[in-house]
Amino acid sequence: MDATTGENPQSVVVPPVEGVGGGGTAYGWTDGSLECSYSFKGVADPAKVPSAELLYVWCMPSTATIGQQEMPRPLESISLLAARNERESVQIAMRPKASWGGLSGAGTVQIRCSDLCSSSGDRLVVGQSLTLRRVVPVLGVPDALAPLDLPEARINLLPGETASVWASIDVPTGQPPGQYEGHIFVTAVKTETESLLQSFGKSEKYQLYKELKNCLDVIEPVDEKPLEEVVGKVKCATSTLKKVLSSAAFQEFYQDNGSADMMDEDALTSLSIHVKINITVWEFTLPQTPSLPAVFGISETVIEDRFGLEHGSDGWYNALDQHFNWLLRYRISPFFCRWGDGMRILAYTCPWPADHPKSDEYYSNPRLAAYAVPYAPILYRDAAKVSMCKELEILKSKVHWPKAYFYLWDEPLNLEQYEMIQSMSSDIRAYAPDARVLTTYYCGPSDAHLPANSFEAFVNVPNLLRPHSQIFCTSEWVLGSREDLVKDIIAELQPGHGEEWWTYVCLGPSDPLPNLHLGMRGTQNRAVVWRVWKEGSTGFLYWGTNCYEKTTVASGEIRFRRGLPPGDGVLFYPGEVFSSSHEPVASARLEHFLSGMQDIEYLNLYSSRFGREEGLSLLERTGVYLGPERYTLDHMAIAAMRAQIYQACRPFVAV
């Protein structure tokens, strides 16, 4: 956002930033007074009073956590930079100055958007490229992003509380570069129901009820009646409806030629708060296949329980297919998972067997950076080794085979579990010697010759698993803030033999280190990916995205699992909890992770031109990320880094 003041000046002093994770939550700030140039008694009429006199509207970056007690700031126009195939987001906050709604709290706000247009006539279309979502608190923390209808959405505001809307712009791959401009109009409105009910006394309401019920009684029983009788009933009903519409209750509408719309579009626009939005689309196109494989788990059992789906049924396949395609939007390579005894895991990306047409559709998807192949049968009726042999014979001949990996065991803790991994890996490599096995761990085996919790035992794990594991995926919890320990991990690996180092986060590390827990700052979530890029791991794993407590009701309350930090293992919510939609609802934390994944594509572009050392220098020089405890809390540093990459690389990209 730039410093240009919007069209509706608001006399507001910026409050001090207080509060916890996320900042920008100025609890208890009361300095200053609310000034209003209009005076009115009782509930205001939004058809006569400009919306700027009824509510505050201001914009904040996507990384801000806007709490219910967030205090207003000056309204500024929105200025964004985006590559093609990139999503950029911003938040629009609203807080009532006065009440105008009567029955709906402080009142109802209507939000309308225009297309974003360039001078050459190209457009970013509302509802396709430009979308709005209501930010909904979860455990008191703004996190769930519930979709709003476009081009016109309505939300209710409550007295003394700030609400926010998350606006996203998705730039298509083929979008022509240029400057795109548009507006978001925020208007205080009175709903038709409120307008009617406020003008009715009890006797009037009862009289209206009787007239309408009489009309219904007359018109309903017309089946198999003679035509003459039906015509008579319609005339009677028409007469009753005309009588109702001409009553005093509807007089103001009747005089306006029967229009039920109290405010036409021009009147709405003149009273609205105008939020100007400008986005620069540049020539760089984010690669369809993410540079960093980020593999995230989806619990199949949670889906089965919550939506009442039988394993292997048509509904089950449809639900998994929906979740797979939805998560691909976030530059994530999903895998479905089922947990067994002792942290054994069945992980698979495609629920269909390799000889099914859907299989190639999944594995060949250019948005997929890596895919998990099941060791055991997905459907219980299949024989294990026969199933795996058949899968491997088909998959290893495909061009996408280098993306494949096996995830067999999560965090093995003793030598017996290590031997299980070795046995399963031997079975796999008997059919496919170049197969990759991924193993996550945060310590060495408890019954080995080295103390299990020592860093020496942790670093020694590759020697115990070689050649049965090729992707050594370590917990960032072990490193803590000790970035210097990375070199010791890498020193034990053999890249020449196909060994890779990946990382993961789960219930640790905790605040202030980067993670995806509920209540952490937006930049703290985004820093998860910055850390991966700076430390140099070649992949990232997150154990679960929908691992809430069990329920058998699709719209059932979301409860985080006991013993885990809030939000751990949950990055989206069932759509049924917030509306009638069946599409998952993203968390703000998932959006922050996507932004981080986009940031590293910018850094990769910069490094490809100027070298990795220069890329690392830029990351630190702009103050975006210096280490696990030293990353920006201010969105401006991120904007500055991206702008410098744009300025430095645009001449080469545009050629």
Side-chain angles (χ1 to χ4, degrees), residues 169-207:
I169 301 171
D170 290 274
V171 182
T173 300
Q175 192 71 29
Q179 299 278 343
Y180 291 78
E181 293 186 357
H183 286 87
I184 296 175
F185 304 99
V186 181
T187 316
V189 295
K190 187 173 290 186
T191 64
E192 293 173 19
T193 302
E194 287 171 352
S195 302
L196 290 173
L197 291 179
Q198 286 174 8
S199 65
F200 287 178
K202 186 173 181 181
S203 61
E204 290 172 306
K205 291 179 188 177
Y206 181 65
Q207 182 62 32

Side-chain angles (χ1 to χ4, degrees), residues 147 322 326 329 573-576 579-586:
Q322 179 197 40
W326 186 83
R329 303 176 193 173
Y573 305 98
E576 291 83 353
S579 68
S580 58
S581 171
H582 298 296
E583 184 171 279
V585 166

Side-chain angles (χ1 to χ4, degrees), residues 297-298 300 334-339 344-350 363 371-376 378 405-409 438 541:
I298 308 171
E300 61 163 34
F335 64 88
F336 299 99
C337 51
R338 185 193 313 155
W339 301 87
R344 179 174 173 173
I345 182 172
L346 172 65
Y348 59 95
T349 291
C350 180
Y363 297 141
Y371 63 82
V373 181
Y375 170 75
I378 297 171
Y405 67 94
F406 287 83
Y407 182 18
L408 306 174
W409 208 287
L438 178 151
L541 179 143

Side-chain angles (χ1 to χ4, degrees), residues 497-569:
H497 290 85
E499 293 182 357
E500 299 179 51
W501 177 51
W502 289 20
T503 53
Y504 69 96
V505 296
C506 50
L507 60 90
S510 56
D511 192 58
L513 303 181
N515 208 321
L516 298 172
H517 299 163
L518 185 71
M520 288 185 166
R521 296 174 180 269
T523 56
Q524 193 172 359
N525 301 149
R526 202 158 168 168
V528 168
V529 195
W530 301 335
R531 179 174 192 172
V532 170
W533 192 84
K534 185 170 188 278
E535 292 177 351
S537 65
T538 55
F540 180 80
L541 179 143
Y542 193 67
W543 69 279
T545 52
N546 67 330
C547 297
Y548 11 81
E549 288 282 10
K550 179 178 178 178
T551 181
T552 56
V553 180
S555 60
E557 179 186 3
I558 299 295
R559 294 187 179 182
F560 298 122
R561 292 190 177 178
R562 295 179 182 177
L564 298 178
D568 184 30

Side-chain angles (χ1 to χ4, degrees), residues 37-58:
S37 57
Y38 274 69
S39 61
F40 41 81
K41 296 179 180 180
V43 177
D45 184 354
K48 300 175 182 177
V49 179
S51 295
E53 302 296 338
L54 300 177
L55 72 152
Y56 295 102
V57 175
W58 69 102

Side-chain angles (χ1 to χ4, degrees), residues 426-505:
S426 295
D427 291 341
I428 294 166
R429 292 169 67 82
Y431 297 108
D434 59 342
R436 300 186 300 168
V437 173
L438 178 151
T439 305
T440 56
Y441 60 99
Y442 64 89
C443 64
S446 59
D447 46 359
H449 63 283
L450 295 171
N453 293 325
S454 69
F455 186 73
E456 185 182 0
F458 168 77
V459 170
N460 190 54
V461 167
N463 294 318
L464 298 177
L465 283 176
R466 188 177 290 123
H468 302 290
S469 190
Q470 289 68 45
I471 301 175
F472 296 93
C473 189
T474 64
S475 171
E476 292 282 20
W477 201 356
V478 177
L479 297 180
S481 59
R482 292 284 306 278
E483 205 174 58
D484 57 299
L485 297 177
V486 168
K487 65 181 185 300
D488 298 315
I489 297 172
I490 295 175
E492 293 296 323
L493 300 182
Q494 299 176 3
H497 290 85
E499 293 182 357
E500 299 179 51
W501 177 51
W502 289 20
T503 53
Y504 69 96
V505 296

